[in-house]
Amino acid sequence: MRNGLAANGGYPAHPRLRCAVFLAMTWSVLAPSPFAQAQQKKDTLRKEIFALSSAVCGVPVPADPDEKKLYEDQKQSLADAASALISLLEQEKAKLTGPELNTIRQKQEDEDNEEEKSLKQSCPTLPAGVQNAIKSASPTATASSAAPNPNASQVTVAPSGGLDFDPQTIGSRSDAKSVTVANNSGEPIELFVWYGAHLTNFKVSDNTCDTLTPDKGNCTFKVSFAPTDMRAHDEPLRIVNRNDWENLYESTRLAYQNQVQLLKKSSEMQEAVEKAGIKVNEQRIKLKMMSSKDAKQINARAVLQFCQQPPMIAGEEGLRLAALCRDLRDKSSSLDEIQNAYNAAIAKRKITEEDVNQAANSLRDSALAVIPLSGTPNHWKYPLTRGVVGLDLSAISSQTVKQAYFVDFDLLAPFRLGSANEDALEDRWWFWLNPRITSLPKAADFSSLSTISETGSFFTNFSSKGSVSDIAQGFDVNGGLEFALLKPRDGIPWWGEYVNTQARLGISVIGGAGISTPFSVDNTDILSQVNQGICDAFKAPAGTAVSDKTRLVCTFPSGSTSPVIVAPNPAFDATNPASPATVQDSFIDFFTPERSRFFRRYYAGFRLKTYFFSPDVRGDCNNGRKVCDAPYDIFPGIIDLTLGQDEAVSSGKFRRPLLRAEGVYPLPFYPGLHIFGSFYTSWGGDQADAPLNSFSVNSPANGASNDFNTFRFATPLLNRDYFRIGVGVDLIQVFKKNKGGQPSSSTGAKAQTENVQSGAAPSSGSNP
């Protein structure tokens, strides 16, 4: 025999080797297979996810620091368990190979894909089938199925199938549905309508079921669907015995709440004692009773001991030390009282959040009836469009204004770069477009002929009382890009007169371009005999010998008292010495020059946008954002401060830089009412442009003027600053007034008082 093996079959001959082989074979039979181990691990993770998801998903973050820490730990544990389960499911799918396993593999992959989809949600959960399997496998569920709730037949509820509401926009409220509860127990029962800690999206009102209901008697209450949170889970109402509610749940919840509050007060008072001790030490250092080095080494107990019998020191500083010591003693005494109260409370029973959940489960199991509630909340529309119709007043510089109607549209659209955000206000890049029919500077309607009155026989100055015509109606469109430096939700608190509203100011950098054009241009020629007023209004600079297209040179013929225009000779022949270079025209024809392009503009600068948020409604934010108020469906107030150039303002050409300020802001007096204003001013000093003064138009006698004695003069384009102000109504806002997302004094405020349970203060935590 070699290597300790028998020749008849290879079984070890040595007793120790035979024992070792026997144990190995036994372990191989009894030990769980790798598949069973993986299945057991998955079941454990599923149970953990099932328990944690009910404590985290749909539950608001507690305000108390200790409760908040526990909540965050549970949330992290849920994420870790979901990640581990997803990894196991991926490994299991990879092992399902082979042509003979196609059917099994496909079924398993479908189940795993459904489960992974649920696990990859923002708050991981399990599919309904998996949850039911866990419930049925749990001891509580088994006992429950074996022993039905004896209280279930004591009351009946109508309607029996629960309450299902139509989709409702958050912040709005559905019509109430009535629920009737009948007492069939054979004796009077003091009922209680219980919904755990709070109802998020449903409101209970007109409740008569919180009193003693006689045998065969009925009580009623109403439920309405008033969603305020897109992510809140549907919550059932439960009809319970009031004594069960008080003894099983409410007493535990109140005791837990009391302990949490005492612990919080103890922490706050401990901090106050430490600060009071620091002030005492600072005063002792000031009185040279100790050094700064010694102060750092003295603990709070030593400072308190010093203050029990502080030395008597004369003077103001000594009195201040005595007052600081007295404050330290008072705070220390308050701390002792709080700690004694806390110790007495936990001596009876230290209650944890798990105890409260267990108490809620006990009350749930003893419920007389359960009323499922369901409804789908619709998010408010994001305020990305506006259509304002109104009246504006506009003028060049500060002259007489013109009144005109206008139509102004604003369109906003976020760029979805990279991973798309559910909340549009989380995007930084935006595209904007602003088409409008509005007042334009007269440079856009460069025909100044509309300012010449033939019947009145005078030509009013562009900046005189005739300047109402210096403003034209036309089409104007602007568009560009916007980058948010400060997102609206992170913005600066701002003025917002809407009720129940928090306004925030966001800051963006914008760049844009646009065009404008008048609807019509006056092409009528105005003919006049040359007079001194016309010569002075368009007088050429000194030293100019002949008129051109912008200025006139006038002279008086020998023996005449009427001026004439010195104009270039259209028939001048340089080879003919007898051909004069100039001619003298007695008449002038004002005409409108044609233009082949739109008036263009471009600019860049800053945009201030004010969004209006509801503090009572949670928006559809990313998970990482703690404060997530929903924006009202009101187009934001916008103020632009930009620098650029605009041909419509600077006589038809890109000349000096222009400062542009433009704003549109909603007013709270009436839905959709807006006020707006804008001004364009050149980056430079004042300069005189023709015409330099008013003048008269003297119509020539019939047949007196002809092509040989008439000078054709193109009216110059204006180069003037420009402003417009006005008010208008956003028709889009008016049409959606009753569609949700609008400010209302009843939003949230009334609902919060309706869901306070009778006989108890509002609860904290989640609805079990």
Side-chain angles (χ1 to χ4, degrees):
M1 280 182 277
R2 205 168 193 184
N3 296 331
L5 297 179
N8 60 356
Y11 194 81
H14 197 282
R16 291 184 179 178
L17 291 177
R18 286 201 301 270
C19 181
V21 171
F22 173 77
L23 291 175
M25 294 175 64
T26 303
W27 174 253
S28 66
V29 173
L30 299 179
S33 65
F35 175 80
Q37 290 178 347
Q39 187 65 33
Q40 183 179 4
K41 190 171 183 180
K42 285 194 300 181
D43 291 342
T44 302
L45 288 171
R46 284 169 177 152
K47 292 178 181 177
E48 183 179 356
I49 292 170
F50 177 74
L52 290 172
S53 61
S54 62
V56 173
C57 297
V59 178
V61 180
D64 182 77
D66 296 327
E67 293 181 354
K68 183 177 180 182
K69 185 178 185 305
L70 177 60
Y71 175 88
E72 296 293 344
D73 291 343
Q74 291 176 331
K75 187 175 181 181
Q76 184 60 47
S77 299
L78 175 60
D80 294 341
S83 178
L85 183 54
I86 291 173
S87 178
L88 286 177
L89 294 175
E90 293 291 344
Q91 295 174 14
E92 190 174 78
K93 283 194 294 183
K95 293 177 181 179
L96 287 173
T97 58
E100 71 279 3
L101 296 178
N102 283 340
T103 303
I104 299 175
R105 183 171 67 251
Q106 184 61 49
K107 180 181 179 182
Q108 185 69 36
E109 284 184 352
D110 292 342
E111 293 175 354
D112 289 352
N113 288 338
E114 180 185 2
E115 189 167 8
E116 287 183 32
K117 185 177 180 181
S118 300
L119 292 171
K120 291 179 180 178
Q121 295 178 4
S122 57
C123 191
T125 57
L126 295 171
V130 179
Q131 292 187 34
N132 292 334
I134 294 174
K135 290 178 183 177
S136 61
S138 65
T140 304
T142 304
S144 176
S145 60
N149 183 1
N151 300 326
S153 61
Q154 294 186 20
V155 299
T156 57
V157 176
S160 59
L163 301 178
D164 185 19
F165 292 85
D166 293 332
Q168 194 78 17
T169 303
I170 59 173
S172 62
R173 185 170 183 154
S174 71
D175 293 335
K177 294 186 178 183
S178 181
V179 178
T180 301
V181 182
N183 179 9
N184 305 319
S185 65
E187 60 182 4
I189 300 180
E190 191 171 4
L191 300 176
F192 189 78
V193 181
W194 182 65
Y195 39 82
H198 66 278
L199 282 179
T200 302
N201 288 341
F202 298 91
K203 309 304 172 189
V204 177
S205 61
D206 301 333
N207 183 11
T208 65
C209 291
D210 281 356
T211 58
L212 188 68
T213 303
D215 181 36
K216 306 303 180 182
N218 297 332
C219 64
T220 62
F221 60 90
K222 293 180 179 180
V223 181
S224 56
F225 182 38
T228 59
D229 191 340
M230 288 289 295
R231 303 186 181 186
H233 291 189
D234 293 336
E235 306 170 44
L237 294 175
R238 292 178 174 85
I239 308 301
V240 300
N241 189 301
R242 190 179 189 89
N243 290 331
D244 290 344
W245 171 72
E246 292 177 347
N247 298 327
L248 292 178
Y249 173 72
E250 188 65 4
S251 59
T252 303
R253 185 193 68 82
L254 291 177
Y256 171 70
Q257 190 177 56
N258 179 54
Q259 292 179 15
V260 170
Q261 291 297 327
L262 288 173
L263 196 61
K264 181 180 179 181
K265 290 180 180 179
S266 176
S267 177
E268 293 174 349
M269 188 54 66
Q270 180 67 45
E271 184 178 353
V273 168
E274 292 175 357
K275 290 182 178 179
I278 292 173
K279 290 182 179 179
V280 170
N281 282 343
E282 289 175 350
Q283 186 65 15
R284 293 171 69 186
I285 294 172
K286 191 173 183 179
L287 292 170
K288 298 182 179 180
M289 300 175 65
M290 63 186 307
S291 65
S292 301
K293 183 178 180 181
D294 294 336
K296 295 179 180 179
Q297 298 175 352
I298 296 178
N299 57 29
R301 184 180 298 275
V303 179
L304 180 61
Q305 186 175 2
F306 167 81
C307 282
Q308 295 299 337
Q309 292 181 343
M312 300 297 295
I313 301 176
E316 184 177 344
E317 296 299 333
L319 294 175
R320 176 172 172 76
L321 176 62
L324 292 173
C325 279
R326 185 167 52 253
D327 180 61
L328 175 59
R329 292 195 300 270
D330 293 342
K331 285 182 168 59
S332 179
S333 177
S334 298
L335 176 60
D336 290 340
E337 292 177 3
I338 295 171
Q339 290 179 339
N340 290 336
Y342 176 74
N343 292 333
I346 64 175
K348 296 179 181 178
R349 180 191 172 194
K350 185 174 182 180
I351 301 175
T352 64
E353 187 176 10
E354 182 61 27
D355 295 327
V356 178
N357 291 334
Q358 290 179 0
N361 290 335
S362 298
L363 184 58
R364 182 191 293 113
D365 293 339
S366 65
L368 304 177
V370 179
I371 306 170
L373 304 176
S374 62
T376 302
N378 292 332
H379 200 283
W380 286 345
K381 304 287 186 184
Y382 282 100
L384 304 181
T385 57
R386 173 173 58 192
V388 179
V389 176
L391 187 68
D392 73 358
L393 303 174
S394 51
I396 56 171
S397 302
S398 58
Q399 301 302 317
T400 306
V401 297
K402 177 182 178 181
Q403 176 178 301
Y405 293 101
F406 74 93
V407 180
D408 191 331
F409 293 94
D410 282 283
L411 310 173
L412 296 175
F415 276 124
R416 299 295 186 175
L417 300 177
S419 59
N421 294 312
E422 295 179 5
D423 182 10
L425 300 188
E426 290 296 316
D427 291 292
R428 289 194 181 273
W429 285 101
W430 290 73
F431 169 76
W432 56 272
L433 186 67
N434 177 212
R436 57 191 175 189
I437 298 171
T438 184
S439 301
L440 301 175
K442 192 61 183 183
D445 179 8
F446 48 88
S447 170
S448 301
L449 302 180
S450 58
T451 63
I452 300 176
S453 174
E454 290 185 277
T455 56
S457 297
F458 69 94
F459 185 178
T460 56
N461 192 312
F462 290 169
S463 58
S464 184
K465 60 185 178 181
S467 61
V468 292
S469 299
D470 295 337
I471 306 296
Q473 286 292 112
F475 176 71
D476 183 291
V477 60
N478 298 291
L481 296 177
E482 171 185 345
F483 178 78
L485 299 176
L486 184 62
K487 294 180 181 179
R489 293 190 189 281
D490 302 321
I492 304 168
W494 199 249
W495 172 75
E497 284 297 316
Y498 291 107
V499 294
N500 244 14
T501 299
Q502 171 64 64
R504 291 194 173 275
L505 180 70
I507 303 175
S508 303
V509 175
I510 65 167
I515 60 168
S516 60
T517 183
F519 289 136
S520 62
V521 176
D522 190 349
N523 289 318
T524 305
D525 289 11
I526 301 297
L527 189 63
S528 173
Q529 183 175 351
V530 177
N531 56 53
Q532 191 60 46
I534 292 176
C535 292
D536 292 341
F538 299 96
K539 184 178 181 180
T544 306
V546 64
S547 302
D548 57 22
K549 60 182 180 180
T550 59
R551 296 299 176 93
L552 300 178
V553 175
C554 296
T555 187
F556 287 88
S558 178
S560 175
T561 59
S562 298
V564 295
I565 296 175
V566 180
N569 182 9
F572 174 65
D573 184 0
T575 62
N576 183 5
S579 176
T582 62
V583 294
Q584 295 181 349
D585 294 329
S586 301
F587 301 94
I588 184 170
D589 180 17
F590 294 99
F591 73 95
T592 301
E594 297 292 340
R595 184 174 175 89
S596 61
R597 298 286 184 270
F598 293 125
F599 290 89
R600 298 162 294 178
R601 68 172 65 91
Y602 65 89
Y603 45 84
F606 295 96
R607 168 167 289 179
L608 310 178
K609 290 202 310 189
T610 304
Y611 281 90
F612 304 92
F613 296 93
S614 168
D616 301 317
V617 179
R618 178 177 172 81
D620 196 16
C621 299
N622 296 337
N623 293 329
R625 183 174 287 280
K626 295 181 180 179
V627 178
C628 181
D629 295 342
Y632 283 119
D633 191 7
I634 301 173
F635 197 86
I638 294 179
I639 299 176
D640 289 347
L641 301 173
T642 58
L643 192 66
Q645 292 185 313
D646 189 340
E647 291 180 332
V649 179
S650 54
S651 64
K653 294 182 180 181
F654 288 138
R655 297 179 183 273
R656 296 178 179 179
L658 294 174
L659 176 63
R660 168 184 171 269
E662 188 165 276
V664 184
Y665 209 88
L667 296 176
F669 315 124
Y670 181 81
L673 184 64
H674 287 68
I675 185 172
F676 66 90
S678 62
F679 74 86
Y680 299 78
T681 182
S682 175
W683 198 271
D686 184 37
Q687 60 182 22
D689 289 335
L692 305 176
N693 58 272
S694 300
F695 53 89
S696 299
V697 174
N698 301 326
S699 299
N702 291 334
S705 61
N706 54 54
D707 290 344
F708 298 102
N709 61 6
T710 302
F711 180 70
R712 289 181 57 79
F713 185 70
T715 51
L717 281 68
L718 291 178
N719 182 13
R720 299 284 195 275
D721 290 346
Y722 162 69
F723 74 92
R724 60 189 288 264
I725 58 174
V727 293
V729 175
D730 182 359
L731 296 182
I732 297 177
Q733 184 79 20
V734 173
F735 293 152
K736 62 189 178 185
K737 176 181 178 182
N738 298 320
K739 294 186 178 181
Q742 306 301 310
S744 170
S745 58
S746 63
T747 302
K750 182 179 179 181
Q752 289 172 358
T753 61
E754 288 174 326
N755 275 4
V756 176
Q757 302 233 281
S758 301
S763 303
S764 61
S766 63
N767 187 28

